């Protein structure tokens, strides 16, 4: 049986490959150098190996990477001078020395980073989630009560406040949302357009997270940015634009009442409370993206049981939907699936890049009409 240390090093090796495949050579390099350094530092290796029994699913390597990036974003030296955008050409010896120095000098900071799961809150995932909500709206024809678990800072909870302009290699395009929005998402779109003519109206929205990021607090934007791979500057720019959109919406500064706040709650308790607060005439939508793997199996089962219990009482006037953007396994592309009740029809709507850079739509297209929600039980 492999040791916890061996599992950890294997998780680092796998993440190096995913960073390389995900067009982040600097992140891949930092993780590869960290892995070699850990192999020679038994104290640090033991500390990281005990963070979680499954270091791959818990993304321990990304927690480590985020902790180092956070030091750079805070302006601490030498990391601020070695990390992009300040520099990305340091030699391996210099980067390895910076990694070792971080453990020596900034160990409390790194241990705190290791104690929290990644809070990527990748806003490009909205490029898949918004079409999923359009599918729900086109099918159920009701205002939505949107409840998101694993919301982080809540950026994807407001996906309908971004402009969406999708282009495809074959020349097909579609657009949705306010052309004057402060953030426009432009994924590489494959397949037909989603139902852009759907009557999407979000009547209520709420989110939860085990450790939410409150963007009204100083420094939380930098902590959120630390989970974006440092050499992917477009992602960082999108994140900052999304924060600028969402901050006034959540605080009420936009002229709207404060709503969409992310609660510090266990997901199962939040789902129970939100289901109990349903209103007649609204469609309840449970939504989440790349968070399911961080929820313990017992809690997953409890959430599933609560949704199925509520689904048994669903009607055409008060339907339910479960929209999930999750990898079938950690090493596969992400699937956007949706289950609708009454009826329990489950559909694969799309496959997508984990960060939403491309979306291959496989659900109903615009203008094809709404699918029935009572076709066949799940």
């Amino acid at each position: 049986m492999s040791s916890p240390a061996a599992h950890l090093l294997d998780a680092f090796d796998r993440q190096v490959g995913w960073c390389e495949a995900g067009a982040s050579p600097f992140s891949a390099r930092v993780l590869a150098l960290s892995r070699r350094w850990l192999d020679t530092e038994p104290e640090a290796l033991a500390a990281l190996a005990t963070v979680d029994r499954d270091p791959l699913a818990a993304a321990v390597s990304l927690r480590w990477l985020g902790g180092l990036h956070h030091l750079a974003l805070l302006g601490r030296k030498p990391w601020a001078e070695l990390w992009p955008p300040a520099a990305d050409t340091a030699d391996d010896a210099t980067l390895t020395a910076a990694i070792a120095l971080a453990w020596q000098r900034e160990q409390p900071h790194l241990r705190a980073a290791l104690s929290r799961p990644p809070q990527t809150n990748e806003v490009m995932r909205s490029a898949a989630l918004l079409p999923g909500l359009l599918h729900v709206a086109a099918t159920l024809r009701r205002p939505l009560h949107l409840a998101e678990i694993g919301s982080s800072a809540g950026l994807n909870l407001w996906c309908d406040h971004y402009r969406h302009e999708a282009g495809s290699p074959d020349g097909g395009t579609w657009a949705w949302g306010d052309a004057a929005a402060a953030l426009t998402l432009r994924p590489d779109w494959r397949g037909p357009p989603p139902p852009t003519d759907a009557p999407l109206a979000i009547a209520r929205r709420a989110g939860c997270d085990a450790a939410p990021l409150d963007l009204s607090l100083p420094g939380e934007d930098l902590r959120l940015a630390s989970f974006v791979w440092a050499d992917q500057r477009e992602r960082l720019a999108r994140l900052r634009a999304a924060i600028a959109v969402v901050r006034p919406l959540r605080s009420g500064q936009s002229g709207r009442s404060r709503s969409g706040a992310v609660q510090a709650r266990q997901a199962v308790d939040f789902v129970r409370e939100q289901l109990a607060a349903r209103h007649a005439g609204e469609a309840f939508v449970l939504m989440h993206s790349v968070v399911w793997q961080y929820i313990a199996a017992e809690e997953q089962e409890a959430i599933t049981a609560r949704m199925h219990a509520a689904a048994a009482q669903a009607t055409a006037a008060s339907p339910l939907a479960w929209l999930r953007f999750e990898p079938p396994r950690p090493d596969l592309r992400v699937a956007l699936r949706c289950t609708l009740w009454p009826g329990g029809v489950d559909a694969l709507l799309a496959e997508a890049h984990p960060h939403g850079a491309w979306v291959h739509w496989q659900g109903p297209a615009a203008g094809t009409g709404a699918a029935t929600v009572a076709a066949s039980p799940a």
Side-chain angles (χ1 to χ4, degrees):
M1 182 178 294
S2 298
S3 67
H7 280 303
L8 176 76
L9 295 176
D10 177 67
F12 264 74
D13 287 336
R14 289 172 181 256
Q15 188 61 58
V16 168
W18 292 332
C19 286
E20 290 173 341
S24 183
F26 181 80
S27 297
R29 190 164 160 235
V30 169
L31 287 175
L33 293 172
S34 296
R35 193 256 191 239
R36 291 179 207 163
W37 172 78
L38 284 167
D39 215 9
T40 66
E41 292 291 333
E43 179 194 358
L45 179 60
L48 269 69
T50 58
V51 170
D52 196 277
R53 294 175 60 186
D54 188 345
L56 189 65
V60 173
S61 60
L62 293 181
R63 301 183 193 202
W64 172 261
L65 185 68
L68 293 172
H69 188 197
H70 195 199
L71 290 173
L73 290 170
L74 289 169
R76 297 185 190 172
K77 297 180 180 180
W79 306 280
E81 298 168 344
L82 301 176
W83 258 244
D88 53 12
T89 57
D91 58 38
D92 286 357
T94 301
L95 282 175
T96 300
I99 290 165
L101 184 64
W103 185 252
Q104 175 187 342
R105 185 189 295 173
E106 302 283 356
Q107 191 170 139
H109 174 96
L110 290 176
R111 286 185 180 272
L114 288 167
S115 71
R116 297 184 290 260
Q119 293 279 19
T120 310
N121 211 181
E122 173 54 58
V123 72
M124 270 299 288
R125 289 174 183 153
S126 285
L129 293 171
L130 185 280
L133 292 177
L134 290 174
H135 166 75
V136 173
T139 307
L140 301 183
R141 318 296 290 188
R142 299 284 175 180
L144 305 187
H145 170 178
L146 181 60
E148 184 188 29
I149 58 176
S151 294
S152 187
L155 300 184
N156 289 317
L157 188 57
W158 297 91
C159 61
D160 56 318
H161 284 259
Y162 310 136
R163 171 73 170 176
H164 297 258
E165 295 180 357
S168 64
D170 61 8
T173 60
W174 62 270
W176 188 94
D178 185 353
L183 173 62
T184 298
L185 302 180
R186 296 183 175 91
D188 174 7
W189 190 264
R190 306 169 189 177
T196 52
D197 54 350
L200 177 60
I202 298 179
R204 293 184 289 155
R205 74 185 85 214
C208 83
D209 198 276
L213 287 163
D214 186 346
L215 296 174
S216 67
L217 299 177
E220 289 294 85
D221 54 345
L222 290 184
R223 191 152 70 88
L224 184 58
S226 73
F227 293 108
V228 177
W229 295 340
D231 51 350
Q232 296 192 333
R233 298 172 193 178
E234 289 186 7
R235 287 181 66 202
L236 281 166
R238 273 196 303 269
L239 176 68
R240 288 165 180 147
I243 290 172
V245 171
V246 170
R247 264 182 171 153
L249 291 169
R250 286 185 53 183
S251 67
Q253 296 171 16
S254 65
R256 298 168 181 264
S257 60
R258 179 177 171 85
S259 64
V262 179
Q263 307 169 25
R265 302 285 287 156
Q266 288 297 113
V268 65
D269 296 331
F270 172 80
V271 170
R272 172 178 52 80
E273 292 164 1
Q274 291 294 311
L275 285 170
R278 282 178 294 160
H279 290 181
E282 293 179 356
F284 178 86
V285 183
L286 177 63
M287 183 177 81
H288 51 88
S289 58
V290 195
V291 71
W292 198 245
Q293 70 194 61
Y294 302 119
I295 298 175
E298 296 81 4
E299 191 171 7
Q300 291 180 3
E301 292 170 3
I303 292 169
T304 302
R306 290 197 176 277
M307 285 296 289
H308 284 174
Q313 305 301 318
T315 65
S318 295
L320 271 76
W322 192 348
L323 183 67
R324 52 215 187 270
F325 183 73
E326 300 287 349
R329 295 196 304 271
D331 59 340
L332 291 183
R333 65 184 63 191
V334 178
L336 180 71
R337 301 197 69 93
C338 185
T339 309
L340 301 173
W341 292 278
V345 176
D346 183 73
L348 173 65
L349 298 182
E351 291 184 330
H353 182 277
H355 294 156
W358 57 263
V359 179
H360 182 189
W361 184 255
Q362 300 174 43
T368 60
T372 176
V373 298
S376 62

